[in-house]
Amino acid sequence: MKIVTYNVNGIRARLPRLIEYLTEQQPDIVCLQELKAADDGFPEQDIAAAGYGAVWHGQKGFNGVAILARDAQPVARQRGLAGEIEDEQSRYIEAEVNGLVVASIYLPNGNPVPGPKFDYKLRWIDRLSVRAQALLDAEVPVVLAGDYNVIPNDDDVYSVAAMADDALMQPESRQGYRALLAQGWTDALRTRFPAGKVWTFWDYQAGAWQRDAGFRIDHLLLSPQAADRFGGAGVDKAYRGREKASDHAPTWVQLRF
C-alpha cells in the first residue's frame, strides 16, 4: 500500500498535475494539503473520474486538507483539532481507509518570528500532539501525513544559514516535532534515508529547483503498528519539475498490507 502526502498549493491550479500523478502512479491513499478551496469548490467529480473517493476539509483561498483513496471511500473520523474553539483554519482531517487510520496535516508556517503566527504554530503542534497520543493509545495502524512546516535536522536543508531565522527551523519548532516523535512515532522518510539530504520542497524563487536548493518539510509518521509494516519510503521528485507544478513533491511510504 502506497500512502502519499502531497501539498498541491491550490487544487484548482494544480488539478491537471494531480490527476496526472494519480493516473501514472496509482497510489492507494493520498493526503493533500493547501487546497485553497472552499468545501463546495473541491473537484470531487474529477477525482472520482480518476478512480478515487475523497473526504475533505476546505477553506476559501487558504489552507484546506483532503484524503483520497483508490477504489475506496475514506470514512471521515475528525475534521480539525480540539483545543481552540475559535480556530477556523482548515488544517487537519482524519479518516479510515481499509483498516488504516490516516490524517492529512497542514501545520502552520509560523512566520514571521517572533509574533502571533509563530505562537499559533507552537500551540497547534501541542494540539496535534494531544490527538497523536490518543491515536497511539488506540494501538491501531496510523499514518500522520502532511506538510509539517518543520525542518527537523540540519541535514534536512540545503543551507542552514539561509533558513536560520525562519520559523521552520527554530528550536521551538524542532522541539515540538521531536516531542511528537518521542511519543512513539516513526519518521518514515528519515528511516529510509538516515543520512538526510532528501528534499520535498523547492521554493519558486531564486532558481531553487534548478539549484536543488530544497529542504524536507513533508513527513509521514507511523504508529508502531504501521511501522511494523514498513516497506520503504521516498520522494517522487520528478513531479516537481513538471510544468506549473506545486513547489512540493509527492512524498510517500510503502506499507505491507
Side-chain angles (χ1 to χ4, degrees):
M1 180 182 287
K2 183 177 183 178
I3 300 105
V4 175
T5 181
Y6 192 5
N7 180 320
V8 291
N9 192 14
I11 194 163
R12 284 295 181 183
R14 314 295 170 205
L15 187 58
R17 297 288 78 81
L18 174 60
I19 298 302
E20 185 177 71
Y21 181 75
L22 297 177
T23 301
E24 293 177 3
Q25 296 294 325
Q26 297 189 7
D28 297 284
I29 298 172
V30 181
C31 296
L32 302 177
Q33 301 88 38
E34 210 170 352
L35 304 178
K36 298 181 180 178
D39 280 339
D40 59 4
F42 185 82
E44 181 180 12
Q45 292 185 347
D46 297 277
I47 287 170
Y52 285 78
V55 293
W56 60 94
H57 183 30
Q59 182 178 342
K60 185 178 180 180
F62 301 94
N63 308 319
V65 284
I67 298 172
L68 318 182
R70 184 164 59 91
D71 298 330
Q73 177 57 45
V75 178
R77 291 164 48 102
Q78 181 170 315
R79 289 176 171 86
L81 291 172
E84 287 193 32
I85 297 174
E86 67 278 14
D87 185 7
E88 297 181 350
Q89 297 190 28
S90 300
R91 294 181 174 276
Y92 182 91
I93 188 168
E94 181 183 305
E96 184 171 340
V97 182
N98 296 327
L100 178 68
V101 176
V102 183
S104 182
I105 293 163
Y106 182 40
L107 204 144
N109 176 282
N111 282 302
V113 179
K117 290 184 177 181
F118 187 61
D119 295 339
Y120 172 64
K121 178 192 186 89
L122 299 182
R123 293 197 308 274
W124 206 94
I125 294 175
D126 289 341
R127 292 162 59 202
L128 175 61
S129 295
V130 172
R131 182 58 188 162
Q133 185 61 60
L135 291 171
L136 281 179
D137 292 344
E139 297 185 352
V140 296
V142 183
V143 179
L144 302 181
D147 175 1
Y148 282 69
N149 271 315
V150 176
I151 299 170
N153 309 287
D154 286 355
D155 56 13
D156 287 320
V157 60
Y158 75 99
S159 168
V160 172
M163 297 296 293
D165 296 328
D166 197 282
L168 278 61
M169 231 175 70
Q170 293 310 297
E172 299 92 336
S173 303
R174 288 180 161 185
Q175 175 56 36
Y177 183 79
R178 289 168 183 165
L180 193 61
L181 290 181
Q183 291 180 340
W185 298 93
T186 296
D187 182 332
L189 205 62
R190 191 72 179 184
T191 298
R192 174 63 182 84
F193 300 100
K197 303 296 182 183
V198 175
W199 319 143
T200 67
F201 171 90
W202 298 258
D203 198 280
Y204 290 130
Q205 306 299 317
W209 169 250
Q210 291 78 8
R211 296 185 294 116
D212 196 29
F215 41 85
R216 184 174 78 100
I217 54 175
D218 302 274
H219 311 307
L220 300 114
L221 304 189
L222 313 179
S223 70
Q225 294 76 16
D228 285 346
R229 303 167 185 266
F230 180 74
V235 180
D236 287 330
K237 181 178 177 179
Y239 287 88
R240 171 61 179 85
R242 298 196 179 185
E243 184 179 3
K244 295 181 179 179
S246 170
D247 42 9
H248 295 249
T251 304
W252 56 269
V253 63
Q254 193 84 33
L255 300 181
R256 294 184 291 266
F257 273 85

